[in-house]
Amino acid sequence: MLTPLIAGNWKMNTTIHEGVDLVLKLRELLKGADNAEILIAPPFTHIYHLSPLIADSPMRLCAQNIFWEKSGAYTGEISGEMLKSAGCHHVIIGHSERREHFKETDEVINKKVIAAIRDGLKPIVCVGETLEEREKGKTISKVKLQVKKALYGLGGGALRDITIAYEPIWAIGTGKVATPQEAEEVHNALRELLHELYEKESLKNTRIIYGGSVKPDSIDQLMSQPNIDGALVGGASLKAEDFARIVRFLPR
Ligand code: PGA
């Protein structure tokens, strides 16, 4: 079985001091936690500072975004090499908030995924449908297309380092979590798609994680589904006790 992945997406929250406090609490609460790979994705400004604080903990650092060029005149952007040198191992790409507020297209997301792999970072690629798309029965076709476009041009070798995050947009930050069955149906369809696109061998480590209002009281049921390999946690990752409980979900 794949080691589950639990990632905390802090979004644009916390000052550096608040971030340090949160990490120090998590260090205590997560001592000895070994049932999952644990990531925290703080704002860019915090990454380098938090890196030594988590060195002897089970947490690792993840960025919330990346730019695809290596360096140059791109005011305001951050490259993969910069993220790696600050201590990141993973990067979230194509979060629905970036698609919505910053107009990131599937093509942009594909460029970022390719750049992350080139620069030695492991992408967490986010896909998900709107409420309207779900109500019209378009969920599976929408997310499959998003995955195909995000992975366009990538060979099987890259899939070892890629995680797909299924995040229904209607569930993000709304308190409305998808039922374990709703999530499982989509995860299963995405797993089938990956098997159509790539050799089985390349997919041995490819996780499909769920995101959207994951809380301590919903994680155990979600994780009991065969195709849910972890969680991308927003709001609840800002509360140390909640995030620690999510990380210590009860095994299947
Ligand atoms: P949420 O966010 O847990 O606050 O719904 C999840 C996410 O956006 O990754």
Side-chain angles (χ1 to χ4, degrees), residues 181-223:
Q181 294 70 28
E182 281 170 334
E184 171 63 18
E185 190 196 354
V186 179
H187 283 231
N188 186 45
L190 291 178
R191 184 93 61 203
E192 280 174 12
L193 171 71
L194 292 176
H195 278 101
E196 279 163 32
L197 298 174
Y198 297 98
E199 304 267 311
K200 203 171 173 194
E201 187 60 24
S202 332
L203 297 170
K204 273 199 320 211
N205 296 319
T206 312
R207 287 174 287 211
I208 306 177
I209 65 176
Y210 169 82
S213 295
V214 174
K215 299 281 183 286
D217 63 5
S218 52
I219 187 69
D220 298 342
Q221 280 218 44
L222 287 163
M223 291 305 294

Side-chain angles (χ1 to χ4, degrees), residues 7-9 11 92 95-97 126 165 167-169 171-176 210-215 232-237:
N9 176 10
K11 309 192 181 184
I92 298 169
H95 191 281
S96 64
E97 287 152 15
C126 303
E167 296 207 301
I169 296 169
I172 296 177
T174 58
K176 271 193 232 158
Y210 169 82
S213 295
V214 174
K215 299 281 183 286
L232 182 53
V233 185
S237 72

Side-chain angles (χ1 to χ4, degrees), residues 2-5 191 206-209 223 226-230 252:
L2 281 170
T3 307
L5 176 71
R191 184 93 61 203
T206 312
R207 287 174 287 211
I208 306 177
I209 65 176
M223 291 305 294
N227 284 294
I228 300 186
D229 305 319
R252 290 173 192 159

Side-chain angles (χ1 to χ4, degrees), residues 45 57 60 88 114 124 158 173 188:
T45 44
S57 86
R60 297 181 102 191
C88 276
I114 291 170
I124 300 176
N188 186 45

Side-chain angles (χ1 to χ4, degrees), residues 128-146 166 170 185-186 189-190:
E129 82 286 6
T130 62
L131 187 57
E132 198 189 340
E133 286 162 340
R134 174 159 283 270
E135 284 168 355
K136 288 187 174 154
K138 292 184 176 162
T139 299
I140 304 278
S141 57
K142 164 84 183 284
V143 297
K144 275 183 162 181
L145 191 62
Q146 284 181 317
Y166 167 55
W170 49 271
E185 190 196 354
V186 179
L190 291 178

